[in-house]
Amino acid sequence: MMNKRLCLGLLTLASVMFLNKLHAQSLIDPSVKDIIQKAFQTNKELKLKAYEVDKARLEADGVKANRLPHVSALGLYGYVHSNGSIDIPTVNIPLLNLGLFEGATGFSMHGQAAYAGVSVKQIIFSGLQIPNGIKALQEKAVAQQYLESAGRETLSKDIIASFDQLMLLDEVDKLIVDSEKRLKKEQEKVNKAIQNGLAIPYDRDKLKLALLELEEKKVEVSGNRDLLCQKIEQETGVSFQEVGGIHYGLKPIFLLDLPRDVEQRSELKALDASSKAYEYLYKKEKGGALPAVFAFGSANYLNVFNSKLTVKDQPLFGTVNLPLNSIKGSPNLMVGVGVKWDLYTGGEHHNKIKQVKLDQHINTTKREDAQEKLNLLLSKNTVTYTTGNQKLKVGEQQLKVAENNLSMAVKQYQAGLIDVTELLAAENDWYKVNLGYFNNVLQQRTAAVELLHTSGKLLQTIHE
């Protein structure tokens, strides 16, 4: 008894695994998967989206650089003219009963100057603008990446649809070939019957007209195939010949589990990432009201040469003119801590905060609107998919009836019970029913792919 239960359990598990494998294989042909992967590498729209991702990451790296020390070098040469005053302690000369440098002493100096120096500056505290700015740009890069993923899903859906249309044309070719074989066979019989006086040229001409209509359909199918191959070539970068060499059976797609929500949709994830980016951006702009603290240091060389110093209103001497060969400072060193605080910017800071809040409201509204529309689209595609499955069941019955009717019409025509017009009518009905069936298969496949795309699970299914 236990062995029977174990065998039954293993058989059930094997059946489920087989169905899962069949589901994955029947959805997308491996050759189409390969084309899709190649398109991901060559499609120009996807490349542009990838560039946007790289750009956002580089912007984040650029903000990170603000944490590092900034070193700069400066060299100057020019003419200096300066007027000023100096107040130094009075020097008393007892012998002369005279005090030098009483009060502020005016002076002027002019000459040539050379300056060379190196300075370094590093932010210690930025009001949290730098870390929040980095996080905002990182979330922006994540949003751009989700948009790229959304572009991949849309491209995959379009490529699958184009190949399914190509396979529909293959099925149409098969239908034309089958009809052509039967009609040519009957045409040969009619020609022999005309020679023996058992048929009239009208029957031959009716068959010839039917064959010419098939030739017209061949030309139309060939033209449509070329257009589809060119479209796929443009979307994927795969050669026209390689696209035309792909063939697979056009069979229905049966999903084991119907998607119930749209939370996996990449566009919604992109909007969620954008929401986080705006939160960090808001914190960054709020931090702009705080002071920025930085450390700095410098080392420089200064030389004022070929100059003249004039000291005004000195006791006994009056105005003193002193020629100077040079005044040098080497090196001049300075280190310290600085604070920069924008106390009033004309309302610019407050305006930026308002803009970020407005962007947050816009993003939230977009998210809600997109989810509502996607849920409605999911419901529509679910109904379309279910309806497509039901139409296939009806179509299978129609195929059997049309096949039986055609087989009976051929036999009755050969027995002389019906004329060629009725035979061609049965042939035409058989062609229309088969074409309608394969159109229904195409619509059912399209509905299944659309359902996966709407729920955001198409790429996941492709990679299975």
Side-chain angles (χ1 to χ4, degrees):
M1 187 69 177
M2 288 293 293
N3 289 336
K4 288 184 178 180
R5 289 180 179 177
L6 180 61
C7 291
L8 182 60
L10 291 174
L11 181 61
T12 304
L13 178 62
S15 300
V16 172
M17 292 177 64
F18 174 76
L19 287 173
N20 284 334
K21 184 176 180 182
L22 182 63
H23 162 70
Q25 288 180 343
S26 62
L27 176 56
I28 301 172
D29 188 79
S31 56
V32 177
K33 287 185 180 181
D34 292 339
I35 297 293
I36 291 173
Q37 293 299 327
K38 291 178 181 178
F40 289 165
Q41 306 300 321
T42 59
N43 186 266
K44 292 181 176 59
E45 290 186 8
L46 289 183
K47 284 184 177 180
L48 292 175
K49 287 182 171 64
Y51 292 151
E52 291 295 332
V53 176
D54 294 339
K55 181 181 176 182
R57 288 172 178 168
L58 289 174
E59 288 175 350
D61 291 340
V63 176
K64 285 181 183 179
N66 291 329
R67 290 174 167 175
L68 302 176
H70 287 199
V71 182
S72 62
L74 179 65
L76 299 172
Y77 170 78
Y79 173 78
V80 175
H81 183 86
S82 176
N83 292 313
S85 64
I86 185 171
D87 190 355
I88 62 177
T90 303
V91 178
N92 292 312
I93 304 176
L95 294 176
L96 299 178
N97 192 23
L98 181 66
L100 297 178
F101 307 114
E102 290 183 353
T105 302
F107 74 91
S108 66
M109 182 180 69
H110 61 86
Q112 299 179 64
Y115 172 91
V118 177
S119 64
V120 59
K121 178 180 176 182
Q122 183 173 9
I123 294 292
I124 299 175
F125 177 72
S126 64
L128 299 179
Q129 290 189 80
I130 292 177
N132 284 322
I134 292 171
K135 291 177 181 178
L137 289 171
Q138 288 173 341
E139 290 297 334
K140 178 183 176 182
V142 171
Q144 294 289 352
Q145 201 162 12
Y146 279 127
L147 290 178
E148 182 193 8
S149 179
R152 287 171 178 254
E153 281 216 352
T154 301
L155 179 62
S156 300
K157 182 192 73 170
D158 292 342
I159 292 173
I160 293 170
S162 296
F163 271 108
D164 281 354
Q165 289 173 8
L166 273 179
M167 297 311 107
L168 175 63
L169 296 180
D170 282 351
E171 298 297 339
V172 173
D173 275 338
K174 294 175 184 177
L175 295 177
I176 291 174
V177 169
D178 287 346
S179 291
E180 198 173 39
K181 285 181 180 178
R182 282 190 293 271
L183 292 179
K184 284 185 176 179
K185 184 177 180 181
E186 295 302 325
Q187 189 181 44
E188 291 176 359
K189 293 179 180 178
V190 168
N191 287 335
K192 291 181 180 178
I194 291 174
Q195 292 175 359
N196 296 326
L198 300 176
I200 58 176
Y202 174 77
D203 292 342
R204 178 189 61 197
D205 292 341
K206 290 285 289 185
L207 289 170
K208 183 177 180 180
L209 180 60
L211 287 169
L212 289 174
E213 289 177 353
L214 291 177
E215 287 294 327
E216 182 183 8
K217 290 176 181 177
K218 282 184 182 179
V219 173
E220 184 179 354
V221 168
S222 178
N224 290 335
R225 178 179 285 107
D226 288 346
L227 288 175
L228 282 171
C229 288
Q230 289 175 12
K231 178 177 180 288
I232 296 173
E233 182 182 26
Q234 187 272 330
E235 289 178 338
T236 64
V238 178
S239 68
F240 186 95
Q241 291 75 15
E242 184 176 352
V243 172
I246 293 176
H247 301 280
Y248 58 88
L250 194 64
K251 298 179 181 179
I253 296 174
F254 296 111
L255 303 177
L256 298 179
D257 297 311
L258 293 183
R260 302 298 179 186
D261 58 65
V262 295
E263 294 304 318
Q264 296 301 313
R265 187 72 182 233
S266 295
E267 289 87 345
L268 295 181
K269 292 181 178 180
L271 289 169
D272 289 338
S274 295
S275 179
K276 292 180 181 179
Y278 284 126
E279 288 177 9
Y280 287 121
L281 186 59
Y282 177 76
K283 293 177 182 178
K284 171 185 173 294
E285 295 301 339
K286 290 283 286 185
L290 300 176
V293 182
F294 59 91
F296 67 92
S298 66
N300 59 68
Y301 164 82
L302 175 65
N303 185 8
V304 180
F305 56 95
N306 292 334
S307 60
K308 183 179 180 180
L309 176 64
T310 301
V311 182
K312 301 176 181 178
D313 302 326
Q314 292 302 302
L316 299 180
F317 303 105
T319 298
V320 180
N321 294 315
L322 299 174
L324 298 175
N325 291 329
S326 67
I327 299 176
K328 295 181 180 180
S330 175
N332 302 311
L333 301 176
M334 186 175 182
V335 293
V337 177
V339 177
K340 182 183 177 183
W341 197 346
D342 293 329
L343 298 177
Y344 178 69
T345 58
E348 179 184 359
H349 173 67
H350 187 62
N351 186 48
K352 285 184 177 179
I353 292 177
K354 282 186 174 180
Q355 289 181 29
V356 175
K357 284 185 176 179
L358 186 59
D359 286 335
Q360 286 180 310
H361 291 315
I362 292 173
N363 190 77
T364 301
T365 304
K366 284 183 177 179
R367 177 50 162 93
E368 293 172 353
D369 182 58
Q371 186 163 20
E372 289 176 2
K373 290 179 178 177
L374 286 172
N375 280 324
L376 180 61
L377 185 61
L378 182 68
S379 300
K380 173 183 175 295
N381 288 335
T382 301
V383 172
T384 303
Y385 171 75
T386 305
T387 303
N389 290 339
Q390 295 172 350
K391 288 171 69 176
L392 287 179
K393 293 179 181 179
V394 176
E396 289 171 356
Q397 297 175 7
Q398 290 176 328
L399 286 177
K400 293 178 182 179
V401 173
E403 188 72 34
N404 290 334
N405 289 345
L406 178 60
S407 177
M408 187 179 299
V410 170
K411 293 177 181 178
Q412 289 179 343
Y413 176 75
Q414 292 173 349
L417 300 177
I418 61 174
D419 60 17
V420 69
T421 301
E422 293 173 296
L423 173 64
L424 292 177
E427 182 72 40
N428 191 46
D429 288 342
W430 175 87
Y431 178 86
K432 287 181 178 179
V433 168
N434 276 270
L435 180 59
Y437 174 77
F438 285 114
N439 269 316
N440 287 339
V441 172
L442 177 64
Q443 292 173 10
Q444 191 269 355
R445 287 178 63 89
T446 301
V449 173
E450 285 284 358
L451 192 55
L452 291 170
H453 178 237
T454 305
S455 62
K457 297 180 180 178
L458 181 57
L459 279 183
Q460 174 187 343
T461 307
I462 290 175
H463 294 314
E464 288 179 350

